[in-house]
Amino acid sequence: MLTLTKSDPIYAEYIRILNAELICATGCTEPIAIAYAAAKAREVLGVLPDEYSVEASGNIIKNAKSVVVPNTSGMRGIEAAAAAGIVAGNAAAELEVLSNVCESERAAIRAYRDTHAGAVIPEAGGKVFFIAVCVKSGASSARVTIEDFHTNITHIEKDGVCIYEKASPASCAAAAPQPDYSTLDVERIVAFADCVDTEDIADVLERQIVCNSAISAEGLANPWGARIGRTLLVSRSNDTCLRAMAAAAAGSDARMSGCEMPVVIVSGSGNQGMTASLPVIECAKELGADRNRLYRALAVSDLVTIHQKTSIGRLSAFCGAVSAGCGAAAGIAYLNGNGFDVIAHTIVNTLAILSGMVCDGAKPSCAAKIAMAVEAGFLGYEMYQNGKNQFLDGEGIVKKGVDNTIRTVGRMASIGMRGTDREILDIMTGSNG
């Protein structure tokens, strides 16, 4: 059995990964990234613009098209996100850019959107993650570009002159070294959870527990979205799996329908952040696990989710809830006292069950997909717990070794599903019939 100590470089690297990934966001992160770019562009311009445009890659359009933008009185889509950022956004707050919008500003956002037509331009270069917001007032203009992840501003210009440029990942690393995600593998993740001083992860994980539990409770208490969480609780037998599914789904019910409460995200996604955490939190309640045990289990869930998403990428045609449901199952297995062997087989079983679920953008049905991902995770865990039942090397996409299977799924999602991604976008936007 692999063991780690606090002096091992991997230990510090995993702490850095958790701190980098588990950040707060108010609202679905793709429209919020648009709002962030828009707020920054208006800040650079210095005045309220007369006109604006949003250039965005297909995956951004897909994920921003149908979701409610928080603090806009129910408005949806790219133009609403940009208008909100321009009128009331606080760029310094990054993914909480719309967290402090007052009632008069909500009315101003709607009035601005209704009186200022915003152009939405598909990005033509084939990038997976690209946002550029351009604002103009008279002869003056400003443009802000975000690439690769939600807060990564790579270019700012004013009146056609570049005033900021992040030239390359290498220059970015020189200024602020990024965590080394290549260090992630399942055995080391479990060893990290075994040895971690929970004081080193308590702040970031406590924030995840508090924020994500609060929006889940809101989703269960009130009729948000398609009410998947509430429906599960009244329509099925009340057991731990059901409550875990409902808790995660309810958070998404609220978030996808514009709830202004913050969520701690994972891999750039609030839905994934809730899916990776809320089932583990629910199971910890059932087991009476103490906070230290819960922190260790959440570390497993979050890092397993991030490990999978590293090879998939932030955005793809592969539903990220699958990765997070798989991560949650790993965390639940750990919470129940299991080690690497059980956790590894749980991950492989879960991926074999549900790796075909596609992402067709952020919207209320994400809550149902989350519920199914959590249920698949429970099934994957229960399979191995009851007779060591497992899916084997050579059966479909399953490979020998959990990390090899994770890499295979990453290849399928990032490369194999590119055509699927384009077709989904065409269907959603009405292209080609």
Side-chain angles (χ1 to χ4, degrees):
M1 183 179 71
L2 177 67
T3 60
L4 292 177
T5 67
K6 198 167 183 175
S7 62
D8 193 301
I10 294 296
Y11 184 100
E13 208 63 57
Y14 286 6
I15 298 287
R16 292 178 65 220
I17 289 171
L18 289 171
N19 284 322
E21 293 282 343
L22 274 64
I23 59 175
C24 277
T26 302
C28 177
T29 48
E30 280 72 55
I32 288 301
I34 292 170
Y36 172 46
K40 189 66 177 178
R42 187 260 168 94
E43 179 185 284
V44 172
L45 186 67
V47 296
L48 189 71
D50 300 324
E51 58 182 285
Y52 68 94
S53 65
V54 179
E55 184 181 357
S57 57
N59 274 280
I60 297 294
I61 292 172
K62 181 175 74 173
N63 278 336
K65 176 179 179 290
S66 303
V67 72
V68 175
V69 181
N71 280 319
T72 63
S73 302
M75 294 195 300
R76 298 173 185 265
I78 294 170
E79 295 93 335
I86 288 167
V87 172
N90 174 16
E94 297 189 336
L95 294 185
E96 294 184 273
V97 60
L98 300 180
S99 60
N100 292 304
V101 177
C102 66
E103 193 58 42
S104 63
E105 288 173 324
R106 290 190 186 98
I109 291 167
R110 182 173 291 277
Y112 183 85
R113 191 205 60 176
D114 290 346
T115 56
H116 294 74
V120 178
I121 306 163
E123 189 269 337
K127 289 188 69 73
V128 173
F129 196 119
F130 182 90
I131 299 165
V133 175
C134 183
V135 293
K136 295 181 180 180
S137 177
S140 188
S141 66
R143 178 182 169 92
V144 173
T145 301
I146 292 176
E147 298 178 86
D148 301 326
F149 59 92
H150 298 79
T151 58
N152 187 39
I153 292 177
T154 58
H155 183 86
I156 302 174
E157 62 183 62
K158 174 76 180 291
D159 297 331
V161 178
C162 177
I163 61 174
Y164 172 80
E165 184 83 39
K166 183 181 283 185
S168 67
S171 65
C172 171
Q178 299 299 301
D180 183 0
Y181 292 85
S182 70
T183 61
L184 290 167
D185 69 53
V186 175
E187 189 171 15
R188 287 195 283 194
I189 289 170
V190 175
F192 169 79
D194 286 342
C195 79
V196 68
D197 180 345
T198 54
E199 289 187 6
D200 290 340
I201 57 175
D203 287 349
V204 68
L205 293 180
E206 190 63 31
R207 185 172 66 231
Q208 184 179 44
I209 293 166
V210 171
C211 290
N212 294 4
S213 295
I215 197 169
S216 174
E218 170 65 21
L220 289 172
N222 293 296
W224 290 95
R227 310 178 194 183
I228 301 301
R230 288 159 63 100
T231 298
L232 286 166
L233 289 182
V234 300
S235 65
R236 297 196 185 187
S237 298
N238 193 335
D239 59 15
T240 305
C241 177
L242 184 282
R243 289 192 296 275
M245 293 165 63
S252 182
D253 283 327
R255 183 178 176 82
M256 294 294 96
S257 295
C259 181
E260 292 90 1
M261 298 173 74
V263 163
V264 171
I265 67 176
V266 171
S267 295
S269 165
N271 279 339
Q272 289 168 50
M274 291 183 292
T275 307
S277 59
L278 289 164
V280 182
I281 295 166
E282 191 63 37
C283 287
K285 294 177 189 174
E286 180 75 16
L287 293 169
D290 64 23
R291 222 47 167 190
N292 284 338
R293 189 70 185 171
L294 174 55
Y295 291 156
R296 295 179 194 279
L298 284 172
V300 170
S301 178
D302 290 330
L303 289 170
V304 166
T305 301
I306 296 163
H307 179 26
Q308 295 173 78
K309 288 293 290 181
T310 298
S311 58
I312 293 170
R314 294 286 188 190
L315 302 174
S316 78
F318 184 92
C319 178
V322 175
S323 300
C326 185
I332 290 165
Y334 187 92
L335 194 65
N336 278 278
N338 296 289
F340 168 71
D341 184 61
V342 174
I343 290 168
H345 284 93
T346 296
I347 293 168
V348 172
N349 285 348
T350 305
L351 291 175
I353 292 166
L354 204 61
S355 281
M357 191 156 68
V358 299
C359 172
D360 54 342
K363 69 274 180 238
S365 67
C366 290
K369 293 186 177 188
I370 285 170
M372 295 302 98
V374 173
E375 186 173 43
F378 268 88
L379 176 57
Y381 173 51
E382 290 163 354
M383 281 175 59
Y384 200 66
Q385 283 293 90
N386 292 278
K388 296 195 182 320
N389 298 309
Q390 60 184 295
F391 299 114
L392 302 173
D393 177 32
E395 296 179 351
I397 59 173
V398 173
K399 296 294 181 184
K400 185 174 179 60
V402 59
D403 295 294
N404 289 328
T405 297
I406 287 172
R407 280 189 284 273
T408 297
V409 171
R411 173 185 168 188
M412 177 187 73
S414 63
I415 300 172
M417 297 180 76
R418 286 176 184 168
T420 302
D421 215 14
R422 289 191 294 270
E423 195 63 32
I424 289 170
L425 183 63
D426 284 349
I427 291 168
M428 289 178 64
T429 58
S431 302
N432 300 325

